[in-house]
Amino acid sequence: MTNTNHPMNSLLQTQDVGSTLWWEHIQKIGTPLLQPNVSDQDCLATFLWKDSAGPNSNIEAVYIDLYSKTPHPTKQLTCFSHIKGTDVWYWETSLPKDWLGSYFLMPASKEQTPPDNKDPQAIRQWWIKLMGISAQADALNPIPPHSNGNNISLSAISLKNGKQDNTQRNAKEIQQAPTHTSLWHSEILNNSRRIWLHKTGTNTKNNLPVVLLFDGQYWATQMPICSDLNTLTATGELPPALYVFIDSINSSSRYQELGCNTDFWEAIEQELLPWVSTQFLITDDPHKTIVTGQSLGGLCAVYGALKRPHRFACAISQSGSFWWPNVDSTPGQGELIQELIAQGKCSTPIRFVIAAGCYEQDMLEVSKVMTNTLKNTGHHVRFEEFRGGHDWLCWRQSLLQSLSFAFST
């Protein structure tokens, strides 16, 4: 995964590498640099970082986190190489020609190098601290950056036939904002959060199906999907519905609430939905109430449907954290899976769409285990393996497809 000392991309082998004209050319074509690889299925991707401090720089290393490609930093750090005598840092890897994913770059000074001991917890704490200081989007990537939700800017790679798909460039700018934004205060949870409500279609008389989306700040503001929902509704692929985007507040609240929390679901059923119903005509039919989530939110969606099938009878989980509560557990040993096995056949079958990315490794495996467990206990399950990894960019298209399937059945 780490570089050799000899770049493979021809642009890094020229005599003027690092010159003003050279960087101007790189800025014009954008990064990552792409060229055919040995394999017909892959391409060589070259990532660059320019050290603006020049000869007086104290940069000791430049790290990259390419989601679902580079190893977890507690296992192996992925570093750029430096071309001596220049301000050019680079890293090269092979990517499938249809790769879709996010990444960030993270330069580190001599005072910011990792701890000498290789303790995973120490490495994890160092990495998180350094992310807050120097993690950054790729300034040479032509696609506008997006956020990971923790104030870290990410860059996107969207390849088609081994070429960067720059139609993504203005995608965020043309997205429509949600219909309505409110602040919901929960007495049960003793907190307040933003809620975005978006109504599709022209129905004003009938009670609307409801879709609850956890980590709603992504889909409402950071990676908006309202325009896509409008389009799919207009073409008949989705019915008119009300979409409820639920903010996760912050990382600590998110972990507490989305990790199989009965109070959270009581607040949704007893407080949030009645509050929403004062503003829009919504259904109380559990089969037309869909809950959706990604990662920990995917676990939460499945948990809520299983615990409250009288109100939520359809759940979409993308890359669900079914390892919970122990991230190092063997796939299948998660608490919810074990509880399902112990309970045996269900009395109220629920519809599930379980999706995971082909590059997710353990998450893909545990999603398949959950799928089989749900089927074996009598539930209706559709499993989807999408091309991608544990990444909001990949979840976006998969979510729209999963919604279409959920509504169609």
Side-chain angles (χ1 to χ4, degrees):
M1 191 61 63
T2 54
N3 275 4
T4 65
N5 291 323
H6 304 287
M8 298 176 63
N9 191 289
S10 57
L11 285 175
L12 275 73
Q13 300 172 9
T14 60
Q15 291 185 348
D16 67 338
V17 62
S19 68
T20 299
L21 288 177
W22 186 87
W23 276 117
E24 287 177 353
H25 179 61
I26 297 297
Q27 181 76 50
K28 182 178 180 180
I29 60 179
T31 57
L33 307 176
L34 301 165
Q35 68 181 39
N37 210 344
V38 176
S39 168
D40 290 338
Q41 304 301 318
D42 297 336
C43 62
L44 176 69
T46 302
F47 298 80
L48 298 173
W49 184 78
K50 181 179 181 180
D51 189 348
S52 58
N56 298 321
S57 174
N58 68 342
I59 295 298
E60 184 74 11
V62 178
Y63 304 101
I64 182 171
D65 191 347
L66 177 55
Y67 287 11
S68 297
K69 178 67 175 180
T70 53
H72 193 280
T74 59
K75 297 179 180 179
Q76 178 184 332
L77 297 175
T78 305
C79 304
F80 278 45
S81 293
H82 180 222
I83 298 180
K84 189 175 181 180
T86 74
D87 55 3
V88 179
W89 291 75
Y90 74 94
W91 179 71
E92 297 182 317
T93 191
S94 293
L95 291 178
K97 290 183 177 180
D98 63 350
W99 182 270
L100 175 66
S102 304
Y103 68 98
F104 66 82
L105 311 180
M106 193 163 68
S109 66
K110 295 178 180 178
E111 295 77 25
Q112 296 170 330
T113 52
D116 291 334
N117 64 23
K118 302 304 179 182
D119 174 62
Q121 187 60 34
I123 296 292
R124 184 189 303 272
Q125 293 175 353
W126 162 80
W127 181 266
I128 292 174
K129 181 179 180 180
L130 186 58
M131 276 201 308
I133 297 172
S134 66
Q136 57 195 251
D138 184 351
L140 299 168
N141 188 315
I143 299 176
H146 58 282
S147 172
N148 73 344
N150 293 314
N151 298 318
I152 303 297
S153 292
L154 306 174
S155 289
I157 306 176
S158 178
L159 302 186
K160 289 186 177 180
N161 299 318
K163 297 181 179 179
Q164 182 80 301
D165 177 19
N166 287 333
T167 60
Q168 297 277 342
R169 183 175 300 186
N170 296 316
K172 187 173 181 179
E173 297 175 6
I174 64 175
Q175 288 293 329
Q176 178 181 341
T179 307
H180 188 67
T181 304
S182 295
L183 189 68
W184 169 48
H185 177 74
S186 169
E187 296 290 343
I188 294 173
L189 300 172
N190 192 30
N191 59 28
S192 300
R193 75 190 72 214
R194 295 172 297 174
I195 299 290
W196 297 266
L197 305 175
H198 184 69
K199 177 180 173 294
T200 59
T202 58
N203 174 22
T204 58
K205 296 180 180 180
N206 300 322
N207 290 346
L208 292 166
V210 179
V211 180
L212 303 179
L213 300 100
F214 302 126
D215 292 310
Q217 69 275 10
Y218 284 99
W219 306 126
T221 64
Q222 296 174 18
M223 204 172 290
I225 61 170
C226 290
S227 292
D228 301 283
L229 296 173
N230 291 341
T231 299
L232 293 173
T233 304
T235 59
E237 294 181 57
L238 296 175
L242 182 70
Y243 294 85
V244 182
F245 302 90
I246 306 172
D247 193 355
S248 54
I249 305 180
N250 54 48
S251 57
S252 59
S253 293
R254 180 179 186 270
Y255 187 81
Q256 180 180 4
E257 293 180 346
L258 301 188
C260 299
N261 186 316
T262 56
D263 288 343
F264 181 65
W265 278 100
E266 182 179 355
I268 289 177
E269 183 178 359
Q270 301 299 326
E271 296 180 336
L272 178 59
L273 288 182
W275 173 74
V276 171
S277 68
T278 65
Q279 303 172 68
F280 292 90
L281 290 173
I282 60 172
T283 184
D284 58 2
D285 182 347
H287 299 287
K288 295 182 180 179
T289 305
I290 302 174
V291 291
T292 76
Q294 295 73 35
S295 195
L296 201 59
L299 167 74
C300 183
V302 171
Y303 174 83
L306 289 170
K307 294 299 181 180
R308 296 172 182 262
H310 59 278
R311 190 64 183 91
F312 312 100
C314 183
I316 297 172
S317 171
Q318 296 178 285
S319 310
S321 299
F322 301 121
W323 47 261
W324 187 88
N326 180 9
V327 69
D328 295 319
S329 63
T330 302
Q333 295 302 309
E335 186 174 295
L336 189 56
I337 292 176
Q338 289 299 304
E339 183 178 329
L340 278 167
I341 294 173
Q343 290 175 351
K345 288 291 183 179
C346 68
S347 58
T348 307
I350 302 167
R351 290 182 294 121
F352 293 97
V353 181
I354 307 292
C358 62
Y359 302 120
E360 293 197 79
Q361 300 178 356
D362 291 346
M363 297 294 282
L364 176 60
E365 184 178 356
V366 75
S367 292
K368 290 180 177 179
V369 173
M370 174 56 87
T371 296
N372 292 331
T373 304
L374 289 168
K375 287 181 177 179
N376 292 338
T377 51
H379 297 286
H380 308 299
V381 190
R382 178 185 178 94
F383 178 77
E384 296 285 348
E385 182 176 326
F386 56 81
R387 294 286 294 173
H390 204 79
D391 194 327
W392 292 97
L393 284 179
C394 304
W395 289 328
R396 179 194 181 94
Q397 189 59 40
S398 174
L399 173 61
L400 296 171
Q401 294 172 348
S402 295
L403 283 169
S404 180
F405 174 79
F407 275 122
S408 68
T409 55

PDB file of all heavy atoms in Angstrom, residues 367-383:
ATOM      1  N   SER A 367     -22.858  -8.054   7.511  1.00  0.00           N
ATOM      2  CA  SER A 367     -24.153  -7.738   6.902  1.00  0.00           C
ATOM      3  C   SER A 367     -24.782  -8.991   6.293  1.00  0.00           C
ATOM      4  O   SER A 367     -26.011  -9.181   6.359  1.00  0.00           O
ATOM      5  CB  SER A 367     -23.992  -6.658   5.822  1.00  0.00           C
ATOM      6  OG  SER A 367     -23.638  -5.416   6.394  1.00  0.00           O
ATOM      7  N   LYS A 368     -23.956  -9.834   5.714  1.00  0.00           N
ATOM      8  CA  LYS A 368     -24.468 -11.095   5.174  1.00  0.00           C
ATOM      9  C   LYS A 368     -24.949 -12.012   6.297  1.00  0.00           C
ATOM     10  O   LYS A 368     -25.966 -12.700   6.150  1.00  0.00           O
ATOM     11  CB  LYS A 368     -23.385 -11.783   4.352  1.00  0.00           C
ATOM     12  CG  LYS A 368     -23.055 -11.071   3.048  1.00  0.00           C
ATOM     13  CD  LYS A 368     -21.971 -11.801   2.268  1.00  0.00           C
ATOM     14  CE  LYS A 368     -21.700 -11.117   0.933  1.00  0.00           C
ATOM     15  NZ  LYS A 368     -20.624 -11.804   0.159  1.00  0.00           N
ATOM     16  N   VAL A 369     -24.226 -12.009   7.423  1.00  0.00           N
ATOM     17  CA  VAL A 369     -24.658 -12.815   8.570  1.00  0.00           C
ATOM     18  C   VAL A 369     -26.006 -12.323   9.083  1.00  0.00           C
ATOM     19  O   VAL A 369     -26.910 -13.115   9.373  1.00  0.00           O
ATOM     20  CB  VAL A 369     -23.598 -12.782   9.696  1.00  0.00           C
ATOM     21  CG1 VAL A 369     -24.123 -13.476  10.949  1.00  0.00           C
ATOM     22  CG2 VAL A 369     -22.301 -13.447   9.239  1.00  0.00           C
ATOM     23  N   MET A 370     -26.157 -11.001   9.197  1.00  0.00           N
ATOM     24  CA  MET A 370     -27.434 -10.444   9.643  1.00  0.00           C
ATOM     25  C   MET A 370     -28.546 -10.790   8.660  1.00  0.00           C
ATOM     26  O   MET A 370     -29.667 -11.142   9.066  1.00  0.00           O
ATOM     27  CB  MET A 370     -27.323  -8.936   9.823  1.00  0.00           C
ATOM     28  CG  MET A 370     -28.656  -8.247  10.150  1.00  0.00           C
ATOM     29  SD  MET A 370     -29.487  -8.901  11.619  1.00  0.00           S
ATOM     30  CE  MET A 370     -28.716  -7.907  12.915  1.00  0.00           C
ATOM     31  N   THR A 371     -28.275 -10.706   7.378  1.00  0.00           N
ATOM     32  CA  THR A 371     -29.268 -11.052   6.365  1.00  0.00           C
ATOM     33  C   THR A 371     -29.759 -12.486   6.545  1.00  0.00           C
ATOM     34  O   THR A 371     -30.973 -12.757   6.568  1.00  0.00           O
ATOM     35  CB  THR A 371     -28.676 -10.876   4.956  1.00  0.00           C
ATOM     36  OG1 THR A 371     -28.363  -9.496   4.748  1.00  0.00           O
ATOM     37  CG2 THR A 371     -29.653 -11.340   3.889  1.00  0.00           C
ATOM     38  N   ASN A 372     -28.835 -13.421   6.684  1.00  0.00           N
ATOM     39  CA  ASN A 372     -29.207 -14.820   6.854  1.00  0.00           C
ATOM     40  C   ASN A 372     -29.954 -15.058   8.160  1.00  0.00           C
ATOM     41  O   ASN A 372     -30.904 -15.857   8.213  1.00  0.00           O
ATOM     42  CB  ASN A 372     -27.959 -15.706   6.786  1.00  0.00           C
ATOM     43  CG  ASN A 372     -27.343 -15.740   5.399  1.00  0.00           C
ATOM     44  OD1 ASN A 372     -28.048 -15.587   4.401  1.00  0.00           O
ATOM     45  ND2 ASN A 372     -26.039 -15.927   5.325  1.00  0.00           N
ATOM     46  N   THR A 373     -29.547 -14.349   9.216  1.00  0.00           N
ATOM     47  CA  THR A 373     -30.219 -14.497  10.511  1.00  0.00           C
ATOM     48  C   THR A 373     -31.661 -14.006  10.421  1.00  0.00           C
ATOM     49  O   THR A 373     -32.583 -14.656  10.940  1.00  0.00           O
ATOM     50  CB  THR A 373     -29.457 -13.728  11.605  1.00  0.00           C
ATOM     51  OG1 THR A 373     -28.102 -14.178  11.646  1.00  0.00           O
ATOM     52  CG2 THR A 373     -30.102 -13.946  12.963  1.00  0.00           C
ATOM     53  N   LEU A 374     -31.870 -12.871   9.776  1.00  0.00           N
ATOM     54  CA  LEU A 374     -33.227 -12.345   9.611  1.00  0.00           C
ATOM     55  C   LEU A 374     -34.087 -13.302   8.778  1.00  0.00           C
ATOM     56  O   LEU A 374     -35.250 -13.564   9.107  1.00  0.00           O
ATOM     57  CB  LEU A 374     -33.182 -10.967   8.950  1.00  0.00           C
ATOM     58  CG  LEU A 374     -32.643  -9.816   9.812  1.00  0.00           C
ATOM     59  CD1 LEU A 374     -32.372  -8.588   8.949  1.00  0.00           C
ATOM     60  CD2 LEU A 374     -33.615  -9.468  10.934  1.00  0.00           C
ATOM     61  N   LYS A 375     -33.522 -13.833   7.709  1.00  0.00           N
ATOM     62  CA  LYS A 375     -34.271 -14.778   6.877  1.00  0.00           C
ATOM     63  C   LYS A 375     -34.628 -16.034   7.664  1.00  0.00           C
ATOM     64  O   LYS A 375     -35.763 -16.531   7.597  1.00  0.00           O
ATOM     65  CB  LYS A 375     -33.450 -15.152   5.638  1.00  0.00           C
ATOM     66  CG  LYS A 375     -33.353 -14.055   4.596  1.00  0.00           C
ATOM     67  CD  LYS A 375     -32.551 -14.532   3.390  1.00  0.00           C
ATOM     68  CE  LYS A 375     -32.501 -13.470   2.305  1.00  0.00           C
ATOM     69  NZ  LYS A 375     -31.698 -13.923   1.129  1.00  0.00           N
ATOM     70  N   ASN A 376     -33.667 -16.545   8.419  1.00  0.00           N
ATOM     71  CA  ASN A 376     -33.884 -17.780   9.163  1.00  0.00           C
ATOM     72  C   ASN A 376     -34.919 -17.620  10.271  1.00  0.00           C
ATOM     73  O   ASN A 376     -35.496 -18.610  10.733  1.00  0.00           O
ATOM     74  CB  ASN A 376     -32.563 -18.270   9.771  1.00  0.00           C
ATOM     75  CG  ASN A 376     -31.576 -18.743   8.709  1.00  0.00           C
ATOM     76  OD1 ASN A 376     -31.984 -19.091   7.589  1.00  0.00           O
ATOM     77  ND2 ASN A 376     -30.300 -18.742   9.038  1.00  0.00           N
ATOM     78  N   THR A 377     -35.146 -16.378  10.703  1.00  0.00           N
ATOM     79  CA  THR A 377     -36.147 -16.140  11.749  1.00  0.00           C
ATOM     80  C   THR A 377     -37.481 -15.670  11.173  1.00  0.00           C
ATOM     81  O   THR A 377     -38.355 -15.235  11.921  1.00  0.00           O
ATOM     82  CB  THR A 377     -35.614 -15.117  12.771  1.00  0.00           C
ATOM     83  OG1 THR A 377     -35.128 -13.942  12.092  1.00  0.00           O
ATOM     84  CG2 THR A 377     -34.468 -15.715  13.584  1.00  0.00           C
ATOM     85  N   GLY A 378     -37.622 -15.735   9.842  1.00  0.00           N
ATOM     86  CA  GLY A 378     -38.921 -15.513   9.230  1.00  0.00           C
ATOM     87  C   GLY A 378     -39.181 -14.157   8.629  1.00  0.00           C
ATOM     88  O   GLY A 378     -40.306 -13.874   8.190  1.00  0.00           O
ATOM     89  N   HIS A 379     -38.184 -13.295   8.562  1.00  0.00           N
ATOM     90  CA  HIS A 379     -38.388 -11.958   8.004  1.00  0.00           C
ATOM     91  C   HIS A 379     -38.144 -11.958   6.489  1.00  0.00           C
ATOM     92  O   HIS A 379     -37.524 -12.862   5.939  1.00  0.00           O
ATOM     93  CB  HIS A 379     -37.470 -10.953   8.696  1.00  0.00           C
ATOM     94  CG  HIS A 379     -37.751 -10.796  10.156  1.00  0.00           C
ATOM     95  ND1 HIS A 379     -38.852 -10.118  10.633  1.00  0.00           N
ATOM     96  CD2 HIS A 379     -37.072 -11.248  11.262  1.00  0.00           C
ATOM     97  CE1 HIS A 379     -38.847 -10.147  11.958  1.00  0.00           C
ATOM     98  NE2 HIS A 379     -37.782 -10.821  12.360  1.00  0.00           N
ATOM     99  N   HIS A 380     -38.642 -10.907   5.837  1.00  0.00           N
ATOM    100  CA  HIS A 380     -38.463 -10.750   4.393  1.00  0.00           C
ATOM    101  C   HIS A 380     -37.266  -9.827   4.160  1.00  0.00           C
ATOM    102  O   HIS A 380     -37.287  -8.662   4.572  1.00  0.00           O
ATOM    103  CB  HIS A 380     -39.718 -10.156   3.762  1.00  0.00           C
ATOM    104  CG  HIS A 380     -40.974 -10.892   4.108  1.00  0.00           C
ATOM    105  ND1 HIS A 380     -41.176 -12.214   3.770  1.00  0.00           N
ATOM    106  CD2 HIS A 380     -42.091 -10.500   4.779  1.00  0.00           C
ATOM    107  CE1 HIS A 380     -42.364 -12.607   4.200  1.00  0.00           C
ATOM    108  NE2 HIS A 380     -42.935 -11.587   4.827  1.00  0.00           N
ATOM    109  N   VAL A 381     -36.245 -10.351   3.498  1.00  0.00           N
ATOM    110  CA  VAL A 381     -34.998  -9.591   3.373  1.00  0.00           C
ATOM    111  C   VAL A 381     -34.511  -9.585   1.927  1.00  0.00           C
ATOM    112  O   VAL A 381     -34.509 -10.613   1.246  1.00  0.00           O
ATOM    113  CB  VAL A 381     -33.879 -10.184   4.259  1.00  0.00           C
ATOM    114  CG1 VAL A 381     -32.682  -9.237   4.303  1.00  0.00           C
ATOM    115  CG2 VAL A 381     -34.388 -10.466   5.660  1.00  0.00           C
ATOM    116  N   ARG A 382     -34.105  -8.403   1.480  1.00  0.00           N
ATOM    117  CA  ARG A 382     -33.403  -8.262   0.204  1.00  0.00           C
ATOM    118  C   ARG A 382     -31.986  -7.784   0.521  1.00  0.00           C
ATOM    119  O   ARG A 382     -31.799  -6.785   1.231  1.00  0.00           O
ATOM    120  CB  ARG A 382     -34.103  -7.251  -0.698  1.00  0.00           C
ATOM    121  CG  ARG A 382     -33.387  -7.007  -2.049  1.00  0.00           C
ATOM    122  CD  ARG A 382     -34.086  -5.908  -2.818  1.00  0.00           C
ATOM    123  NE  ARG A 382     -33.427  -5.606  -4.068  1.00  0.00           N
ATOM    124  CZ  ARG A 382     -33.746  -6.136  -5.255  1.00  0.00           C
ATOM    125  NH1 ARG A 382     -34.720  -7.027  -5.315  1.00  0.00           N
ATOM    126  NH2 ARG A 382     -33.101  -5.786  -6.359  1.00  0.00           N
ATOM    127  N   PHE A 383     -30.991  -8.491   0.007  1.00  0.00           N
ATOM    128  CA  PHE A 383     -29.599  -8.104   0.233  1.00  0.00           C
ATOM    129  C   PHE A 383     -29.010  -7.516  -1.043  1.00  0.00           C
ATOM    130  O   PHE A 383     -29.184  -8.065  -2.134  1.00  0.00           O
ATOM    131  CB  PHE A 383     -28.755  -9.295   0.680  1.00  0.00           C
ATOM    132  CG  PHE A 383     -27.298  -8.950   0.870  1.00  0.00           C
ATOM    133  CD1 PHE A 383     -26.880  -8.268   2.002  1.00  0.00           C
ATOM    134  CD2 PHE A 383     -26.360  -9.277  -0.101  1.00  0.00           C
ATOM    135  CE1 PHE A 383     -25.539  -7.924   2.173  1.00  0.00           C
ATOM    136  CE2 PHE A 383     -25.025  -8.940   0.057  1.00  0.00           C
ATOM    137  CZ  PHE A 383     -24.617  -8.264   1.198  1.00  0.00           C
TER     138      PHE A 383
END
